[in-house]
Amino acid sequence: MNGSKVNLRAFESEDMKELHHWLNDADSIALVGRVPRTYEETVHHVEKKRKNGDLVLAIENEELELIGWTFLQNIEYEHGRASIGILIAPEYRGHGYAGMAMKKMIDIGFKQLRLNKIYLTTRGINERAIGLYQKTGFIIEGQLRNHAFSDGQYYDTYFMGILASEWKG
Ligand SMILES: CC(C)(COP(=O)(O)OP(=O)(O)OC[C@H]1O[C@@H](n2cnc3c(N)ncnc32)[C@H](O)[C@@H]1OP(=O)(O)O)[C@@H](O)C(=O)NCCC(=O)NCCS
């Protein structure tokens, strides 16, 4: 943790090139269980999220460098819920940025979008992400056995959630 702050701003088309690099980072592929994506597929992925009404934001550090992205997706106002995602550029991991960015995004979800619940799924091998989510206040609500397949092996997936009433912001 280096004590600096993060800023969330709209994710712009100019940020797409960086995102394409991050999504093709070997760790990101292994931890999130994707396959490599072309630049065009990355653009299509973001456009699809925008069409879905997802809130897609870029994360900047104090020097206004682009260091990652975060989004609220599957926003269902009738149920007051959405799922959250985050990715930090490989060279900026381990500095506490993800924790700070998640707090800001959760604040937006509960205080501006008036959601009641924010949830996510993550794979058991992603200890860093699980540690981050627990520290942020998410609770493991379910463990889905052998739910994901990666590199010749099945892994459990964890369903985690936090309620507005539990959020101290
Ligand atoms: C998961 C990810 C967002 C974390 O970003 P980060 O900036 O490195 O995380 P932070 O530095 O804010 O760490 C937050 C907390 O995670 C926990 N944590 C970090 N590394 C950990 C590890 N190896 N094992 C367990 N917990 C860990 C700690 O509680 C840490 O808090 P601390 O700094 O006070 O110790 C980042 O590694 C990433 O983008 N990974 C690839 C994409 C991904 O996995 N996204 C999540 C998909 S579900």
Side-chain angles (χ1 to χ4, degrees):
M1 180 96 184
N2 60 9
S4 55
K5 293 193 180 112
V6 298
N7 177 48
L8 300 187
R9 60 155 173 83
F11 188 87
E12 304 284 354
S13 300
E14 296 85 73
D15 303 326
M16 214 73 86
K17 222 172 155 189
E18 286 296 308
L19 176 66
H20 178 232
H21 288 303
W22 305 334
L23 293 180
N24 283 313
D25 159 61
D27 277 350
S28 304
I29 289 177
L31 291 171
V32 188
R34 295 198 196 93
V35 289
R37 278 201 177 116
T38 63
Y39 181 76
E40 286 70 28
E41 284 166 340
T42 303
V43 173
H44 179 69
H45 177 62
V46 175
E47 278 169 358
K48 205 168 143 198
K49 291 178 90 53
R50 285 184 177 140
K51 271 189 204 136
N52 264 353
D54 298 354
L55 178 64
V56 183
L57 298 178
I59 307 169
E60 288 177 339
N61 64 9
E62 263 185 342
E63 287 74 43
L64 301 184
E65 292 163 318
L66 179 65
I67 60 165
W69 79 332
T70 179
F71 47 82
L72 285 169
Q73 62 185 1
N74 305 315
I75 302 173
E76 293 173 273
Y77 287 105
E78 62 274 37
H79 296 293
R81 70 182 183 216
S83 73
I84 192 167
I86 187 162
L87 186 145
I88 297 291
E91 62 271 32
Y92 291 105
R93 288 179 195 158
H95 295 281
Y97 288 132
M100 291 185 278
M102 279 200 90
K103 279 186 193 149
K104 290 206 166 190
M105 195 52 150
I106 293 168
D107 252 355
I108 292 172
F110 287 144
K111 295 179 183 169
Q112 292 185 31
L113 304 186
R114 303 175 85 176
L115 298 173
N116 177 56
K117 178 173 186 171
I118 297 177
Y119 64 96
L120 57 90
T121 58
T122 187
R123 300 200 286 153
I125 39 162
N126 202 344
E127 288 174 10
R128 177 175 282 260
I130 294 173
L132 164 71
Y133 301 144
Q134 283 179 322
K135 193 183 150 199
T136 309
F138 284 81
I139 287 166
I140 295 177
E141 299 182 356
Q143 182 172 354
L144 312 173
R145 297 173 306 146
N146 279 9
H147 202 66
F149 187 75
S150 175
D151 211 11
Q153 247 188 293
Y154 288 103
Y155 294 96
D156 291 354
T157 292
Y158 292 90
F159 187 102
M160 303 179 77
I162 184 167
L163 303 178
S165 57
E166 296 163 343
W167 181 243
K168 292 174 184 77

